[in-house]
Amino acid sequence: MLAQPRPNTAVNDEHLDLGRLGNFIGFRLRRIQNQLSSAFTGTSIEHGLRPGEFSALAVISANPGLSQAKLAREVGLDKSAAVAVVDDLERLHFAERQRSPGDRRRHALYTTAGGEAALEKMFSTLATVERDVLNVLGPHDLQILSGLLDRVYDSCFRK
């Protein structure tokens, strides 16, 4: 049975009422992420990257020698999915596994020159996408938002 419209409620095409969904930060964050991601996806696809592989490559670049397990945790993948992501990054010659000097049982991850060049292009596009969307916030607001997001993210790992 279809839900009946509430009496005297006009639908505003600009700002729909989210109802109870508006009370959930996860939904609201995902909604924003979906918009930002759709504007960025074309650039990552041009480089042969599937969704999620860009962030994995960026985290590897920022943390040379990172283990696959830590990469999986940081980008929100299970360990087998992280292996597939690293396989793809190696196939594209964007990243490489090397035996960890401290523990020969694990691999350390590194970006290649090709991976760094691809990241430069993709980060440039990402900066444009975010600048166009976040221009409604001033520098102080962005700093507060960034701090709040970091606190929420950190709380995800304190379980």
Side-chain angles (χ1 to χ4, degrees), residues 108-125:
L109 304 174
Y110 299 91
T111 53
T112 64
E116 289 296 327
L119 280 173
E120 283 302 314
K121 292 176 186 173
M122 290 185 285
F123 271 120
S124 177
T125 299

Side-chain angles (χ1 to χ4, degrees), residues 1 36 59 87 91 93 105:
M1 175 181 218
L36 293 172
V59 169
D87 286 346
R91 179 184 48 77
H93 305 287
R105 294 169 295 173

Side-chain angles (χ1 to χ4, degrees), residues 5 19 24 51 112-116 129 138 142 151 155:
F24 294 92
T112 64
E116 289 296 327
V129 167
L142 286 171
R151 285 174 38 201
S155 76

Side-chain angles (χ1 to χ4, degrees), residues 87-116:
D87 286 346
D88 284 346
L89 294 175
E90 281 192 315
R91 179 184 48 77
L92 294 166
H93 305 287
F94 286 171
E96 61 187 12
R97 292 175 176 102
Q98 297 177 9
R99 287 282 177 206
S100 172
D103 182 352
R104 303 280 301 157
R105 294 169 295 173
R106 77 172 185 93
H107 287 100
L109 304 174
Y110 299 91
T111 53
T112 64
E116 289 296 327

Side-chain angles (χ1 to χ4, degrees), residues 34-93:
N34 286 344
Q35 292 298 315
L36 293 172
S37 179
S38 68
F40 175 71
T41 298
T43 298
S44 62
I45 288 172
E46 286 175 17
H47 291 283
L49 296 175
R50 292 179 293 153
E53 292 179 340
F54 163 75
S55 56
L57 183 61
V59 169
I60 294 168
S61 175
N63 300 278
L66 178 72
S67 72
Q68 286 180 176
K70 287 183 181 179
L71 174 67
R73 187 197 73 204
E74 195 62 30
V75 297
L77 297 171
D78 64 45
K79 289 179 184 178
S80 63
V83 169
V85 164
V86 175
D87 286 346
D88 284 346
L89 294 175
E90 281 192 315
R91 179 184 48 77
L92 294 166
H93 305 287

Side-chain angles (χ1 to χ4, degrees), residues 123-138:
F123 271 120
S124 177
T125 299
L126 188 58
T128 300
V129 167
E130 288 206 355
R131 182 178 57 244
D132 291 346
V133 172
L134 297 177
N135 64 4
V136 297
L137 301 175

